[in-house]
């Protein structure tokens, strides 16, 4: 019964052990579904289920009929045009990261958007090239593309026929990797394993994208300076690229350098204006488009290509390339890289989609996103595009300019289509250094994540460490190996957190039913002879020894050592008793022969296993007080602890190894007359112990209590009644209910006799 009194309450209920609670409140009989039950549900078919599956596979069928033409169409048109112009420029710029001709970036900006329009669940993200993915694909292209001398010797190779060029082979590698990553994403979506995203934390993603931004920055320097820098993909490649750049710095093309610096400065300034005054601007200033038009006109008008020998975009083929089957040999060589690309692409897209879904309150489906992205990459790769996800800046443009649905995405694809089939040739005079500068202009947000380190350090040092190590791994080892090493390190930190948990000793706060860490509060009261120990993590094979040591430190003695000392002393007492040299006095047991000496060597040579057994004094005509002085100055540790409470409310599971270790530890305490109680465990935890034969004559299932306060009250009642068990009026113990008074005291509810809780 609960009686509220203002902001306080009165609770009247029995003191419950787990067994007592189970007897009074019977559990329901529940049927736990087996694998066959789940399989039957999965394989069953009905009209409603078929409709639900169809709607989940084609989300467009759900939102398109409800499209509000009058309210949304104009916003989507404005957003689609703005996003399409940005997509064109980013497609050209990010193609340089893949080390393929810029025109192929337009295919990567077109096909994924069309597929995602029908299959995607997010209404606001803009699917297409993403700099980190482009960098990862580019690393594979560089690794697999043979040098010019090797290509001349291998013209008979099936992947490098006589009429093929180096660029075409690079395009083939990029397309094949994209198709394979799309297949991996599709399979993950079909198999419903989109939960893999949980293994990449926000800190890991932030550190990885920041490192990728640094890689992008370094890779674009050769275009800004127009230097011939050899490609490197092995670990420490970023340092090798920087070394190549600095050794050739005197060959810098000044025209490209000046142009790119001017573009960078203007882009950064205008983007800052867009960010600072976004509430007042109807739409963000399309600075990328403005600078592209100006730079193209200037380059064409002043003939930069011939006068200053700058590198330009070059020929822009009209129309689409015919689809081509992937190279199976490349499949075999890039399976690991493709898996990393698939995971990173999905994680980035899903993270951005989650932000907008929370902001606008609509659901997204991770598994369906995998299917949509997978098919997008398969189609894009088949038409010689490269891997797609979502660029943060491009999605921001689509949302900030008023985009309501993927109609805006479809219109942006139409803008890209117009450039591909009609006006792409106008961009042929555009300098590659301008594209590099525009690509770097989109990295500001990712590079600014360096400021996250201080915030993470203040909130969680483990998260900060994950960020730092992920950044270092990705910089030093490269993006592929760096991602794998980062995931491994992140999982290792989870092991560290559980392997070295912050165990604590609890005490009563303000003489109430609240128990907190005794180091945190001033008004703490600890029951005499009772120790309450809390473990805040699962107990398993890796941390059971740490748990034991922390518990030993908390109680102040090693129960096994005390047990062995007592058994040794018991053997000595038995020997003296058989010789008639012991006398029981009010002060304890004394030896009547002061000159008697015992050989410790004989005891030390006994088998150690015998000293670990329970202490049996039934053959002695007297009781031994182990805290009193023993004969012949026998040294046995004196302990005042009589009850130990283990708070397992945060212990979610035990494995077999830790179960054996825990049982041994409990037995050691019980054998030295320390009662052990476990509180806060759920029923499944106890059922598992029963199934594993955890309980025996020493460790019984009656040690479990619902709460710490239940166990404390049980101990106090037990000690109170044990002191009076020899009274002549041995009446049957009544059932006691306790009430927590508004002042925190305890009283007996039935007999109305105060029961003081002495601490």
């Amino acid at each position: 019964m609960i009686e509220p009194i203002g902001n306080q309450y009165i609770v009247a209920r029995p003191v419950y052990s787990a067994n007592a609670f189970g007897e009074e409140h019977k559990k329901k009989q529940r049927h736990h579904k087996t694998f066959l039950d789940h399989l039957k549900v999965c394989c069953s078919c009905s009209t409603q289920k078929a409709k639900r599956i169809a709607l989940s596979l084609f989300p467009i069928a759900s939102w398109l009929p409800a499209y509000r033409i009058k309210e949304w169409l104009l916003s989507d048109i404005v957003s689609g045009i703005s996003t399409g112009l940005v997509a064109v420029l980013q497609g050209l710029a990010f193609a340089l990261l893949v080390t393929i001709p810029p025109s192929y970036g337009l295919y990567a900006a077109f096909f994924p958007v069309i597929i995602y329009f029908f299959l995607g669940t997010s209404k606001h993200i803009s699917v297409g090239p993403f700099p980190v993915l482009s960098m990862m694909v580019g690393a594979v292209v560089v690794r697999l593309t043979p040098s010019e001398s090797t290509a001349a010797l291998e013209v008979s190779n099936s992947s490098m026929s006589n009429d093929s060029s180096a660029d075409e082979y690079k395009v083939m590698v990029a397309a094949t990797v994209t198709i394979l990553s799309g297949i991996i994403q599709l399979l993950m979506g079909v198999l419903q394993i989109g939960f893999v995203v949980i293994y990449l934390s926000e800190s890991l993603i932030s550190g990885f994208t920041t490192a990728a931004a640094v890689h992008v920055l370094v890779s674009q320097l050769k275009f800004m300076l127009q230097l011939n820098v050899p490609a490197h993909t092995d670990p420490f490649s970023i340092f090798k690229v920087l070394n190549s750049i600095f050794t050739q710095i005197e060959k810098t093309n000044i025209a490209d350098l000046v142009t790119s610096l001017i573009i960078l400065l203007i882009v950064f300034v205008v983007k800052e204006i867009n960010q600072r005054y976004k509430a007042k601007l109807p739409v963000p200033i399309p600075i990328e488009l403005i600078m592209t038009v100006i730079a193209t006109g200037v380059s064409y008008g002043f003939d930069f290509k011939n006068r200053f020998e700058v590198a330009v975009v070059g020929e822009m083929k009209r129309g689409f390339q015919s689809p081509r089957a992937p190279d199976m040999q490349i499949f075999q060589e890039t399976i690991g890289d493709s898996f990393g690309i698939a995971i990173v692409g999905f994680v980035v897209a899903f993270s951005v989609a989650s932000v907008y879904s929370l902001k606008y309150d609509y659901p997204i489906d991770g598994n369906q996103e995998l299917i949509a992205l997978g098919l997008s990459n398969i189609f894009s790769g088949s038409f010689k595009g490269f891997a797609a996800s979502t660029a943060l800046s491009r999605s921001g443009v689509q949302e900030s300019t008023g985009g309501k649905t993927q109609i805006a995405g479809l219109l942006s694809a139409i803008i890209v289509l117009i450039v591909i089939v009609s006006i792409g040739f106008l961009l042929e005079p555009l300098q590659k250094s301008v594209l590099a500068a525009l690509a770097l202009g989109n990295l500001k947000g990712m590079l600014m994540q360096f400021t996250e380190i201080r915030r993470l350090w203040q909130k969680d040092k483990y998260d900060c460490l994950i960020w730092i190590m992920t950044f270092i791994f990705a910089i030093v080892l490269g993006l592929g190996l760096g991602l794998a090493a980062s995931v491994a390190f992140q999982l290792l930190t989870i092991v560290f957190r559980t392997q070295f948990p912050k165990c604590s000793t609890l005490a009563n706060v303000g003489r109430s039913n609240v128990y907190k860490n005794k180091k945190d509060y001033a008004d703490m009261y600890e029951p005499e002879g009772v120790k309450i120990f809390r473990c805040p993590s699962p107990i398993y094979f890796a941390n059971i020894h740490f748990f034991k040591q922390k518990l030993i430190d908390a109680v102040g003695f090693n129960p096994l050592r005390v047990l062995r000392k007592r058994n040794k002393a018991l053997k000595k007492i038995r020997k003296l008793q058989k010789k008639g040299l012991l006398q029981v006095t009010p002060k304890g047991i004394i030896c009547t022969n002061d000159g008697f000496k015992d050989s410790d060597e004989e005891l030390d040579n006994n088998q150690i296993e015998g000293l670990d057994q329970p202490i049996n004094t039934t053959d002695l005509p007297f009781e031994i007080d182990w805290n009193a002085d023993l004969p012949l100055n026998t040294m046995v540790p004196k302990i005042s602890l009589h009850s130990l409470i283990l708070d397992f409310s945060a212990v979610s599971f035990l494995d077999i190894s830790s179960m054996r270790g825990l049982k041994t530890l409990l037995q050691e305490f019980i054998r030295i007359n320390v009662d052990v109680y476990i509180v806060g465990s759920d029923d499944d935890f106890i059922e598992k112990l029963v199934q594993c034969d955890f309980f025996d004559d020493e460790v019984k299932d009656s040690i479990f209590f619902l709460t710490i306060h239940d166990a404390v009250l049980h101990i106090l009642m037990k000690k109170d009644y044990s002191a009076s068990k020899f009274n002549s009026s041995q009446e049957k113990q009544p059932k006691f209910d306790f009430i927590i008074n508004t002042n925190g005291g305890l009283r007996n509810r039935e007999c109305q006799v105060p029961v003081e809780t002495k601490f």
Side-chain angles (χ1 to χ4, degrees), residues 715-727 733:
I715 293 169
L716 295 177
M717 288 190 298
K718 181 179 179 181
K719 293 302 176 184
D720 182 54
Y721 289 117
S722 64
S724 58
K725 63 181 179 180
F726 296 106
N727 291 347
Q733 294 183 5

Side-chain angles (χ1 to χ4, degrees), residues 28 72 76 173 223 236 255 445 593 700 729:
K28 294 181 179 179
W72 294 348
D76 280 340
V173 173
F223 295 107
F236 303 98
N593 186 358
K700 302 178 181 180
S729 57

Side-chain angles (χ1 to χ4, degrees), residues 506-527 743-744 759:
L506 306 183
N508 186 281
V509 181
R511 299 179 182 269
S512 64
N513 65 334
V514 178
Y515 294 82
K516 294 289 186 180
N517 191 329
K518 62 185 299 184
K519 297 179 181 179
D520 293 340
Y521 297 89
D523 55 338
M524 303 296 289
Y525 303 93
E526 192 170 17
N743 61 2
F759 296 102

Side-chain angles (χ1 to χ4, degrees), residues 167-179:
D167 284 343
E168 289 177 342
Y169 184 71
K170 290 180 180 180
V171 171
M172 170 56 70
V173 173
T176 302
V177 171
T178 299
I179 292 174

